[in-house]
Amino acid sequence: MDGSPDDEPGGQGAGSRRKLLAALIGGGLGAAACVPVIGSGLFAPDDEEPQPPRSRADGTPRKAATTPADGGTYLDRDDSYTAGAGGQAGSATPDPAELFSGPAAAAAATEVTVPTILDTSAPELHLLRRFTFGPHPRTVAEVRQVGIDRWLAAQLAPDTVPDAEGDAAWRVFPLAAMSPAQVRGAVREYGWDAMLAHAQATLARQLWSRRQVHEVVVDFWANHLNVTLPSDGAWDVGPSYHNTVIRAHALGSFRAMLTAAMRHPAMLRYLSNDESRRESVNENLGRELLELHTVGVGAGYTEDDVRNSAFLLTGRTTTKEGEFKYDPKWHWTGPVTVLGFGDANASGPGGLALGDRYLAYLATHSATARQIARKLAVRFVADDPPKALVDRLAAVYLESDTEIVPVLKALLSSREFWASVGQKTRRPLENVVAAARALDVRPGSDTAKSVADLYWSLDEVGQRPLGWAPPNGYPDVAGAWASAGSMLQVWNRHRGLVQGWWKGLTYTKPEDLVPTKGSAASYVDALCERLLLQRMRPAHRQALVAFFDGATAAQAAPHLVPVVLDSPYFALR
């Protein structure tokens, strides 16, 4: 070593880090290994049949231009990032006769054929990358001890999983669990305190809860039925919404969740339905109910359907105390039709029950089934999931009367899921939380402050919990996050977690993650097995070994550990 800062182990200057990262990203991995090409995925894109224009109630055809789809609206939240890009061929989809009885059987019977740098011989690692916020050493050991099926059975019944650390971290934020009345008695009017507390408590659960499947599914539904925190109108009702609507129903019935959402003051305020009345109808909630929450643009609904949808929801408002109220005098009356649902809608007092029937109709609509099935497949399988899998999940959803757990079990018992190793990329929040979990960062002397500081740091990364402002929720495909700036911000958070930037948490010193005795090569192997749960390929391993340049493992560890987390091996899930 010549003493130049650029050549010090771990990159005290920028030169060594740049050389090492170039070797890891460019040395046979390619940029797509870290951030896949927009629209690429495990399977070829579906060949969708165009939807014909719907007919009016009197039988006359509608003009095609009256449908949002024909007007150029994207089919779903992620479509704008994947439209027009070619898919990547992968494993063939199974015949119905090849469906398996359970996740472990499906995993054992599936051969991963799509190239990936991730280890394909350990299905439990694939499961934990997809259905947790990052594999924790304790969780890996637990799955290997009890088996995939038993671990999943417990996770899908989260009340059976003891969660002392997650519960304790949640209690650090007492405002997070308060009712609207309690919030109003605890914070100043229109203050953000309770909304921020709930978002930060959510981050704490993602970091430390043992009920990881529940947390991942909660995050999915919080984006599907998004009410942003913080946002106007949610100051007193936001925590209640996410607790009593999203968390309470995440592994239950979608129909029940949708009904609860459309009666909750947070959703009604967020999409302005609290101000919608018969003489001045606001279409926001009626439109987003169709476009985002249920059938989707591809169902072929029209602007007339949107207006009728809004008519059906009039009268649903809130009290000044933040409670739900139905006012029959505000309900629009008269005949309504939406996508085959029709009613005379003759009275204001009957409008609430009629609206609930309409919601049940939408929740059990075949287009809703496909919309939810596709979003689940995008979340857990591939950015461009196979049509055959989406069709099967949609069928299970309808057969199970919108119950979510049977759909998740069907997904987990599919060969498509187990064949998709490495075909998803962690979003910024997931990457940072996964790094904290891999490093075993724990609660400490001032958990509330440190989690709050980490939360605001995630705002700079571009993805803090519950923070997406539009009603469509955070994008869930790689193309939406393919930004050099975002990547650099994530890498900086890796260094912060390794070097203990957020005071008040408990950190493991980087030199204590694995034994530092032995050769540089053995240390690199042990470190990668600890953080990545696998070894790197020979060329990438050698790049890390060369990074030592004569330094001891203890000297290099504070700089080498973040570089391992920066690698494409960690970015994929």
Side-chain angles (χ1 to χ4, degrees):
M1 297 176 64
D2 62 8
S4 168
D6 277 359
D7 292 326
E8 289 181 350
Q12 296 291 326
S16 288
R17 284 199 301 272
R18 285 197 297 266
K19 293 174 186 176
L20 178 55
L21 289 170
L24 289 176
I25 296 175
L29 296 184
C34 185
V35 181
V37 176
I38 295 175
S40 69
L42 178 59
F43 303 94
D46 299 342
D47 292 325
E48 297 286 358
E49 292 295 329
Q51 292 285 342
R54 297 265 173 177
S55 297
R56 297 182 184 274
D58 61 5
T60 60
R62 299 183 187 276
K63 294 180 180 179
T66 65
T67 66
D70 291 332
T73 301
Y74 288 108
L75 293 179
D76 56 58
R77 175 194 59 195
D78 301 316
D79 187 47
S80 62
Y81 301 103
T82 59
Q88 177 179 333
S91 301
T93 57
D95 294 328
E98 295 180 352
L99 301 183
F100 304 103
S101 59
T110 300
E111 178 183 359
V112 179
T113 60
V114 176
T116 178
I117 58 173
L118 297 186
D119 180 10
T120 62
S121 66
E124 70 276 9
L125 300 184
H126 175 57
L127 172 68
L128 293 178
R129 288 188 184 103
R130 296 291 173 89
F131 275 88
T132 73
F133 275 92
H136 184 280
R138 178 185 61 205
T139 314
V140 174
E142 182 180 347
V143 176
R144 286 175 171 168
Q145 178 182 2
V146 305
I148 287 171
D149 286 350
R150 286 184 60 190
W151 184 81
L152 277 172
Q155 288 287 313
L156 292 172
D159 288 345
T160 68
V161 178
D163 194 22
E165 191 168 68
D167 290 342
W170 178 268
R171 288 193 295 270
V172 168
F173 303 91
L175 290 171
M178 286 187 177
S179 68
Q182 291 171 324
V183 171
R184 295 177 75 89
V187 308
R188 61 180 176 80
E189 189 173 18
Y190 305 119
W192 284 16
D193 306 58
M195 295 186 290
L196 292 175
H198 186 88
Q200 291 160 12
T202 297
L203 175 59
R205 283 250 193 237
Q206 293 169 353
L207 286 163
W208 297 305
S209 176
R210 291 189 63 224
R211 300 166 180 167
Q212 280 286 299
V213 170
H214 186 240
E215 291 306 312
V216 169
V217 178
V218 162
D219 179 70
F220 173 85
W221 290 117
N223 282 284
H224 183 76
L225 291 167
N226 183 39
V227 170
T228 309
L229 297 185
S231 62
D232 291 343
W235 73 276
D236 54 342
V237 296
S240 169
Y241 175 81
H242 285 280
N243 286 325
T244 65
V245 175
I246 303 300
R247 287 187 168 274
H249 296 284
L251 292 172
S253 156
F254 177 70
R255 178 169 56 188
M257 188 190 318
L258 182 68
T259 301
M262 297 302 140
R263 287 185 176 221
H264 200 283
M267 179 63 79
L268 298 176
R269 289 180 185 171
Y270 181 61
L271 292 176
S272 306
N273 207 78
D274 61 322
E275 301 173 352
S276 184
R277 57 186 73 189
R278 59 184 303 163
E279 66 273 12
S280 180
V281 177
N282 188 298
E283 294 184 359
N284 285 355
L285 184 59
R287 182 181 300 277
E288 305 303 1
L289 174 63
L290 294 172
E291 179 177 337
L292 302 179
H293 303 153
T294 59
V295 296
V297 172
Y301 63 83
T302 69
E303 288 302 314
D304 286 348
D305 290 323
V306 169
R307 284 190 290 275
N308 279 270
S309 180
F311 293 158
L312 281 158
L313 299 175
T314 51
R316 294 172 184 244
T317 185
T318 66
T319 68
K320 62 181 181 180
E321 293 79 23
E323 299 294 335
F324 172 72
K325 174 186 176 183
Y326 177 74
D327 190 333
K329 298 188 300 297
W330 286 21
H331 181 69
W332 188 94
T333 55
V336 286
T337 58
V338 182
L339 289 176
F341 178 88
D343 196 276
N345 185 28
S347 74
L352 181 60
L354 172 59
D356 286 346
R357 292 197 300 274
Y358 169 58
L359 296 173
Y361 175 83
L362 291 179
T364 55
H365 196 287
S366 60
T368 301
R370 181 170 177 82
Q371 174 95 325
I372 289 173
R374 180 176 175 81
K375 289 183 76 170
L376 286 168
V378 167
R379 174 67 190 157
F380 294 113
V381 178
D383 288 2
D384 187 14
K387 181 178 184 297
L389 175 64
V390 173
D391 289 345
R392 294 203 311 274
L393 297 182
V396 172
Y397 171 91
L398 293 174
E399 292 166 1
S400 303
D401 194 23
T402 82
E403 290 289 332
I404 303 306
V405 169
V407 182
L408 293 175
K409 288 181 177 178
L411 186 151
L412 285 158
S413 298
S414 71
R415 195 172 71 178
E416 292 94 334
F417 171 77
W418 295 103
S420 67
V421 176
Q423 301 306 303
K424 289 289 293 182
T425 302
R426 283 178 170 140
R427 296 179 292 183
L429 167 66
E430 297 154 9
N431 193 306
V432 174
V433 172
R437 289 175 58 78
L439 294 166
D440 198 22
V441 177
R442 309 294 287 274
S445 60
D446 196 347
T447 301
K449 182 181 184 304
S450 52
V451 170
D453 290 344
L454 181 58
Y455 166 86
W456 288 115
S457 179
L458 288 168
D459 190 49
E460 298 174 6
V461 170
Q463 191 189 12
R464 51 185 166 80
L466 310 177
W468 185 255
N472 58 352
Y474 281 112
D476 209 355
V477 293
W481 306 99
S483 159
S486 178
M487 181 182 293
L488 288 172
Q489 290 285 1
V490 168
W491 288 357
N492 285 336
R493 300 311 174 275
H494 291 164
R495 278 143 191 78
L497 290 167
V498 171
Q499 297 167 13
W501 290 358
W502 294 280
K503 305 304 180 184
L505 298 177
T506 302
Y507 299 92
T508 301
K509 293 181 179 180
E511 59 268 27
D512 293 338
L513 286 169
V514 295
T516 56
K517 295 180 180 180
S519 67
S522 64
Y523 176 74
V524 165
D525 286 343
L527 187 62
C528 290
E529 288 171 351
R530 171 69 172 76
L531 298 176
L532 307 176
L533 304 174
Q534 66 174 81
R535 296 185 180 185
M536 286 190 178
R537 291 181 176 182
H540 311 139
R541 174 180 182 261
Q542 185 55 41
L544 292 179
V545 172
F547 184 61
F548 276 87
D549 196 23
T552 67
Q555 291 171 329
H559 314 290
L560 187 63
V561 172
V563 171
V564 172
L565 296 173
D566 294 346
S567 73
Y569 292 85
F570 193 78
L572 297 174
R573 68 168 179 86

